[in-house]
Amino acid sequence: MALARSGVAVMQKLAMLLPLVSAVLMSSPVRAEPVKGIDGRTVEVAVPKRVVAVNSALVEILFALGKGDTVVGTDVAGTYPPALEKIAKVGHPYHPSVEGIISLTPDVVVASEENMPSATAEQLRSAKLPVLVLENSSKDGVEGLKRRISQLARLYQVPEAGQRMIQDIDTRLGALQKKIAAVKKKPRILFLYAHGPGEAFVYGRDTGVHVLIELAGGQNAADFTTGTKVLTAEGMVQASPDAIILLHRGLKAVGGPEGVLKMPGVALTPAGQQRKIFAVDDTIRWVGPRFPQFADTLFNDLHATPRP
């Protein structure tokens, strides 16, 4: 009888201890997941809670993974989602401020290689900040985008969320491919990057713009060059685009479609003669998770029935 009473007492004590044990286990730090960057450096951070992200496409991936509330700083180029307005800025996307980043005391800094000079990364590492540098956001199109999604999902230990994002991208692009297959023409499209009517650049291969044009079923009319090149009248006539695209802010800066028609050589092209001039999202220089949406919109603009 005494033995039975002793057993009951032990069970009662265990029952009392169980909530405490559970609380201790739940409060234990999650084991870090090592993630290797494109520069060969590995970071190990146990589920980041404060992140500075340099590159608007990477910021969009973090928000799409459900981790937007961990972003405490970013560069000035991002415009999406609207919540970015309330997040601290750390400077130009190609020249982020070391002091500004350090002042935000992040657990980790994530950036694409074109936005994080190696000297800047080493300065941050000297300040004991882990820095994860991912491959160029224009590299290898959608496949490169998928790799960046997978790496950030691993950093946050949410691989399933990353896979869902990738599957959604594939589904959207699959639907767009069916629309592209139904049209015969592959229009030549030229992107103009302009701050005003006096100066503009065209974007050739190895750029996010090139990826967008091809996803929309078009051909980059500036594929005669790599990277960016100053616009000239001769170059515009040589490119002979069927359509011209600009960032929303670029189209506004040059005075709308009428302003574009006054730019060197534009009036001599099929795009100018047919007034095929369209605005695209301000972030398209970096390949991000909304590219299927942007490509679908561009496809619809290109193939819309002209008004009588």
Side-chain angles (χ1 to χ4, degrees):
M1 191 65 175
L3 182 61
R5 282 199 296 271
S6 175
V8 170
V10 169
M11 293 301 293
Q12 288 175 336
K13 288 182 180 178
L14 284 175
M16 293 175 63
L17 287 173
L18 275 176
L20 178 61
V21 172
S22 298
V24 170
L25 289 175
M26 291 179 67
S27 63
S28 298
V30 178
R31 187 175 180 181
E33 172 77 11
V35 182
K36 189 175 183 179
I38 191 70
D39 59 353
R41 304 290 289 272
T42 299
V43 300
E44 295 186 42
V45 180
V47 185
K49 293 182 173 59
R50 293 180 61 83
V51 175
V52 170
V54 183
N55 181 282
S56 61
L58 299 186
V59 172
E60 289 191 25
I61 292 173
L62 294 181
F63 273 85
L65 288 173
K67 300 300 178 183
D69 60 343
T70 68
V71 181
V72 296
T74 184
D75 60 83
V76 298
T79 58
Y80 183 88
L84 284 188
E85 292 181 4
K86 298 180 180 179
I87 293 177
K89 301 299 183 289
V90 296
H92 191 279
Y94 293 105
H95 308 287
S97 164
V98 172
E99 294 79 9
I101 293 173
I102 293 174
S103 70
L104 295 172
T105 62
D107 301 322
V108 62
V109 179
V110 296
S112 56
E113 58 184 331
E114 76 270 32
N115 300 116
M116 180 57 68
S118 57
T120 303
E122 290 311 312
Q123 283 183 284
L124 293 170
R125 286 166 178 150
S126 296
K128 308 300 182 187
L129 288 182
V131 181
L132 177 62
V133 181
L134 303 180
E135 63 186 304
N136 190 305
S137 64
S138 299
K139 184 178 180 181
D140 204 16
V142 173
E143 293 307 311
L145 169 63
K146 291 177 181 178
R147 288 194 291 271
R148 292 188 291 279
I149 291 172
S150 296
Q151 285 177 295
L152 290 177
R154 282 182 55 206
L155 181 69
Y156 279 85
Q157 301 187 33
V158 288
E160 297 83 3
Q163 282 303 310
R164 286 195 295 272
M165 277 188 65
I166 290 172
Q167 289 169 3
D168 180 65
I169 289 170
D170 285 339
T171 299
R172 289 170 179 264
L173 289 179
L176 177 57
Q177 281 300 318
K178 292 180 182 178
K179 294 167 66 174
I180 293 172
V183 298
K184 295 180 179 178
K185 186 173 182 180
K186 195 172 186 178
R188 295 173 57 80
I189 305 169
L190 189 80
F191 172 74
L192 287 181
Y193 182 70
H195 292 295
E199 184 181 34
F201 297 86
V202 297
Y203 274 45
R205 298 181 298 273
D206 298 336
T207 63
V209 173
H210 186 87
V211 175
L212 175 68
I213 290 172
E214 292 202 326
L215 288 179
Q219 175 185 350
N220 189 354
D223 63 359
F224 53 80
T225 188
T226 299
T228 62
K229 189 174 183 178
V230 175
L231 169 68
T232 64
E234 293 77 12
M236 178 61 77
V237 173
Q238 176 190 358
S240 188
D242 299 305
I244 294 173
I245 58 176
L246 299 90
L247 303 181
H248 279 285
R249 60 182 171 82
L251 184 60
K252 183 179 179 181
V254 301
E258 295 300 327
V260 176
L261 291 171
K262 296 176 184 176
M263 297 178 78
V266 171
L268 301 175
T269 67
Q273 292 162 359
Q274 298 174 30
R275 302 176 68 86
K276 288 260 188 180
I277 300 166
F278 307 111
V280 294
D281 192 89
D282 287 338
T283 64
I284 61 157
R285 288 176 294 164
W286 303 287
V287 182
R290 289 186 296 155
F291 257 48
Q293 171 192 333
F294 297 154
D296 189 68
T297 299
L298 179 55
F299 174 88
N300 291 335
D301 287 340
L302 293 169
H303 300 285
T305 303
R307 293 181 179 178

